[in-house]
Amino acid sequence: MYSFPDNFLWGTATASYQIEGAVSEDGRGRSIWDTFCHTPGKVFHGDTGDIACDHYHLWRQDVELMARLGLNSYRFSVAWPRVQPDGAGPFNQAGLDFYRRLLDYLAEHGIAAAVTLYHWDLPQALQDAGGWTNRDTAGRFADYAQEVVRRLGDGVRLWTTLNEPWVSAHLGYGNGIHAPGVADLSSAYRAAHHLLLGHGLAARAVRSVMAPGSSVGITLSLSPARPASGSAADVEAAARVDGYANRWFLDPVLRGEYPEDLAGLLRPLVGEDHVRPDDLATVQAPVDFLGVNYYFCQTVAAAQGAPLPGDQPFPDFLRAWGRPSPAVPVTGKGWPIEPEGLTQLLTRIDTEYGHLPLYVTENGAAFPDYVGPDGAVNDPERTEYLDRHLKAAHDAIAAGADLRGYFCWSLLDNFEWADGYSQRFGLVWVDFKTRERIPKSSALWYAGVVSRNGLLPGE
Ligand code: IFM
């Protein structure tokens, strides 16, 4: 039996824009994702989050579903424009009331809440003033975060400032695949710095008002980078990609510094005028835990000679290509399935960054699921994926990591950003015409794991 520690949090994760819908109801303001989705050509199939899973109306049913699965925690995000429509100024009581009702209902069902304060739906009014490239947004974020925690405080176990600032910065401002759709390296690094600054300011602000028993941290998307070969060029390229994907965020949050190897490369390209003397001390605000989102590893080759088929370029300054992992199955999204990367990541954080409490705040896979003739959704690939990753998480605990919870991405099939509704990550199938929910076979398997607080050896 692979048993997990007592009081382990077993949950699923979602994010506001991906599930709520109701984008124009009860005083919600506009977000950058509303604008982006309604810009032709930006999102697959022209899909939008206008209705999504209609969780804004079906939240009771969704909580009851989690309770039936026996889950003891739920990670969701607050939509900034729903509670503070312009990102500054007055708060919207109707928006806050929605989250208050959700929190109360979760508590009634014995489900601990893990709340993310920013999962990418920036108020459009702030983007109109530069968004995360504008330093002022960091301060706005801290003010918003503090007020949300003050007003919703009771009953939240984990407060997370940001979800995956790497994605916000690099996909939102670096290559423009995500909202707000800016493609400029310098903007990406300014945005990354202001996101980190916003995290540091918000973490302090949240701590000053949060209820006893709550804790505050941040969630990073992390991806072990390993060389495609033993050549010195590939090893060095992998180290640069590690700096770009992992250390650029881990180091400032947990050590109060940017990694000098990458900073040295970036200095001539993006300058440093956006970094003020005390900023990194602010970014290194004490955190009670680190949230880790893990999906895949990067196999990295030095960009020299001709690329191999399937090689994907990283930004030019990294002089590196992402190479498909050989002989590894991939998910529906094409992501290599490499559970050992999760063990490696959790043990690395534990040994290199201090023995701090860790949560896997996201891990999961999209597969081309379908409803069978019997009305059931059988997804053995997802069950196998989760089983292997949970065993990998267990290995990390055995090696000493203080892992305290696991949140499967995702509770529901939902709006997968630039991929629209084409990628299904849910434990629960959603019919996007009727909004009917059907727990997949993986959900029933996960319920068994939760009830045993672990996995059986043959599972
Ligand atoms: O859907 C996203 C989520 O919003 C953030 N982390 C990765 C997931 C899958 O792509």
Side-chain angles (χ1 to χ4, degrees), residues 18 119-120 163-164 295 333 335 362 409 416-417 425:
Q18 293 180 272
H119 196 129
W120 309 352
N163 180 70
E164 301 182 354
Y295 289 93
K333 221 169 137 118
W335 291 348
E362 283 182 31
W409 184 269
E416 177 56 15
W417 308 112
F425 273 90

Side-chain angles (χ1 to χ4, degrees), residues 27 42 46 60 97 135 179 195 204 250 290 303 319 330 339 364 381 408 428:
K42 296 294 185 190
R60 270 194 196 81
D97 289 345
R135 186 179 174 92
L195 281 153
R204 284 199 170 78
L250 283 167
L290 179 70
R319 291 173 284 115
V330 295
E381 308 90 338
C408 173
V428 175

Side-chain angles (χ1 to χ4, degrees), residues 210-224:
M210 73 187 183
S214 299
S215 44
V216 60
I218 183 172
T219 279
L220 301 178
S221 50
L222 298 170
S223 195

Side-chain angles (χ1 to χ4, degrees), residues 325-379:
S325 306
V328 171
V330 295
T331 67
K333 221 169 137 118
W335 291 348
I337 302 178
E338 294 173 296
E340 59 285 359
L342 180 58
T343 316
Q344 197 184 325
L345 191 54
L346 296 172
T347 50
R348 176 198 187 178
I349 295 166
D350 188 62
T351 52
E352 291 183 20
Y353 290 92
H355 183 61
L356 78 164
L358 301 174
Y359 292 88
V360 173
T361 37
E362 283 182 31
N363 172 241
F367 288 108
D369 305 317
Y370 57 93
V371 182
D374 57 353
V377 182
N378 284 312
D379 58 341

